[in-house]
Amino acid sequence: FFIAGKKAYEVERSLRFNDNDNAHLSRTPSGAGNRKVWTWSGWVKRGNIGLSQNATMLHAYDGSSSNRGSIQFNTSDQLKVDQGGGSGSSKGQAVTTAKFRDISAWYHIVVRANYSDSTASDRVKVYVNGTEQTLTFNVAYTDENGQINGAFEHEIGAVESTNSLFDGYMAEINFIDGQTYDPSYFGATDPTTGQWNPKKYGGGYGTNGFYLNFSDNSGTTATTLGKDSSGNGNNFTPSNFSVSAGVGNDSVEDTPTNNFCTLNAVAKGSGVSLSQGNLGYNSSGREGVVGTFAVRSGKWYWEVTASDVGADTQVGIYDNTDGKGFPTSYLGVNTSSWGVISSTGTTIHNTSQASYGSSFSDGDILMVALDMDNGKWYLGKNGSWYNSGNPASSTNPAHSGITSGTGLISPAISNNTENNMDYQFNFGQRAFSYTPPTGFEKLNSANLPDPTIKLPDKHFETLLY
């Protein structure tokens, strides 16, 4: 998914769902559509995984706790589809045998329902990135109506507003009332790279069908952020989203056609908590986290907002030379990490500290420039670079001579004391507060160099025994 470059069809925006905010969309159709035949297609990028509750993409129920139709990730990170509508139990439920725990990737999910099919095992089919998934049927699907597409409340991102919340990003959501379509209607394989990419759906939607592309971020109303672009006017009401500038902005440019770096939920210490679509960092111990992107060349810029500075935080970069995947102590403790300390503004590398800038304060916006072409990195604050540094002219860096044992350097943050703090990252998925230095890019897939090997399975492939 790190294939660089532009695609034929560009998805412009996604909507960030922060489970801590109870963020979700809701709509109650005025009348029932086809409750036996429908298709749901959406692109999702997960934030939190391994949760104690399900993570919901779509939920519908008639007010009875036992009558629920849904599309969710379960607590084992499998996709689960409930028919709902049973008397005291679900009419049908299936889960994928596969688990979906990649928080750096966009997944394209298609669910086809045809409860009228004479074969019970064919009544629901699930596809991920164009590939049909093997299902385990916990409860056989019936040939009766399900809850989805009924004349009662439907929610995207939650169950009853506060439960089974989805954390991450969603984009390009299509719901087709009365038709069952395979993934080829919504995506296609790039013949050069083998990558599954979005394509514009060109068919009809039926009475209750809708298309949410989240392109109108002029407000957080049903006719702006929740607008149905299918032409049906089946708008959804947003709850607990923001489009205001700053760290709370949930309308972002991280999409399946231009994937952005986030913090890595599977490469962090046990005391680290991530939020805001894996852009928010909090830690209760001497532990850190790295970004989902790692680079060996190029010039890159990102920003970090110190919402709550804490006593001793280090903002910087990390090289996975030690093979641990993330800082298990503080940045700068060894030769594979470089940082700037929040309480003093000094640099630190291999435990050696040097005067560089000033301490961080709550509300400060830190600017980070990583120049892998010249082996240097820089840090600044609120529009000014520390020590009169100039990334564009390659002068006065925080550290120079940066090389990597693995050839790859990641954004990173760590904490050296057992206290709580909050930092919010921005790799360019929302507007920067300050203009990047000349020649420095956002950290996203469109700016990565094209790989030499475009079809990896020509050189490497798994063999199952």
Side-chain angles (χ1 to χ4, degrees), residues 48-385:
N48 291 332
I49 59 174
L51 301 172
S52 59
Q53 290 188 330
N54 297 329
T56 305
M57 275 80 77
L58 180 66
H59 172 254
Y61 79 118
D62 62 4
S64 170
S65 61
S66 60
N67 295 350
R68 300 179 183 276
S70 62
I71 302 170
Q72 300 172 314
F73 290 106
N74 66 14
T75 56
S76 298
D77 299 315
Q78 299 159 298
L79 276 166
K80 176 172 74 75
V81 181
D82 277 308
Q83 182 179 7
S87 177
S89 64
S90 173
K91 283 183 179 175
Q93 183 188 96
V95 296
T96 59
T97 57
K99 299 185 178 185
F100 302 95
R101 295 176 290 198
D102 188 345
I103 46 72
S104 65
W106 280 92
Y107 292 114
H108 180 220
I109 299 169
V110 173
V111 178
R112 301 173 63 183
N114 183 2
Y115 303 140
S116 300
D117 197 292
S118 59
T119 303
S121 60
D122 288 337
R123 288 171 180 159
V124 163
K125 294 183 181 293
V126 178
Y127 304 82
V128 177
N129 296 340
T131 301
E132 184 173 356
Q133 300 298 298
T134 301
L135 300 179
T136 299
F137 294 92
N138 296 334
V139 182
Y141 290 96
T142 72
D143 60 358
E144 303 169 68
N145 286 333
Q147 295 299 90
I148 291 174
N149 216 9
F152 23 77
E153 186 175 55
H154 288 58
E155 293 173 303
I156 296 173
V159 169
E160 295 183 64
S161 304
T162 59
N163 300 310
S164 298
L165 295 153
F166 178 83
D167 188 83
Y169 307 82
M170 294 194 206
E172 200 72 4
I173 297 175
N174 285 281
F175 181 79
I176 317 301
D177 178 359
Q179 298 291 336
T180 175
Y181 289 141
D182 64 48
S184 66
Y185 285 79
F186 313 98
T189 300
D190 186 314
T192 303
T193 64
Q195 183 177 10
W196 183 257
N197 292 323
K199 78 175 187 181
K200 180 71 173 176
Y201 170 69
Y205 284 88
T207 302
N208 282 342
F210 55 84
Y211 169 43
L212 305 179
N213 58 21
F214 310 117
S215 61
D216 188 345
N217 62 353
S218 61
T220 56
T221 66
T223 55
T224 53
L225 198 62
K227 180 181 178 180
D228 168 26
S229 296
S230 73
N232 281 348
N234 293 327
N235 303 325
F236 277 72
T237 299
S239 296
N240 305 317
F241 294 100
S242 173
V243 293
S244 299
V247 298
N249 191 343
D250 297 308
S251 175
V252 295
E253 296 179 14
D254 192 340
T255 73
T257 55
N258 192 10
N259 190 26
F260 275 77
C261 182
T262 62
L263 299 178
N264 196 335
V266 295
K268 67 180 182 65
S270 59
V272 172
S273 298
L274 302 182
S275 61
Q276 299 287 358
N278 290 346
L279 294 175
Y281 165 85
N282 180 283
S283 177
S284 59
R286 302 177 73 176
E287 299 168 315
V289 64
V290 298
T292 54
F293 280 35
V295 293
R296 63 166 54 93
S297 63
K299 299 179 180 182
W300 310 98
Y301 175 84
W302 63 91
E303 294 179 347
V304 186
T305 299
S307 299
D308 186 350
V309 169
D312 197 358
T313 303
Q314 301 81 38
V315 173
I317 54 176
Y318 175 79
D319 165 33
N320 189 29
T321 303
D322 56 16
K324 295 179 179 178
F326 59 91
T328 54
S329 184
Y330 59 91
L331 287 176
V333 70
N334 53 27
T335 58
S336 61
S337 60
W338 300 258
V340 171
I341 303 171
S342 63
S343 58
T344 60
T346 57
T347 62
I348 183 168
H349 174 60
N350 200 23
T351 71
S352 177
Q353 298 186 34
S355 178
Y356 183 50
S358 58
S359 61
F360 308 165
S361 299
D362 291 355
D364 282 348
I365 298 175
L366 309 173
M367 310 174 299
V368 183
L370 173 61
D371 182 354
M372 288 301 295
D373 293 340
N374 294 294
K376 301 177 181 181
W377 84 285
Y378 305 76
L379 191 129
K381 184 176 73 174
N382 302 332
S384 298
W385 294 100

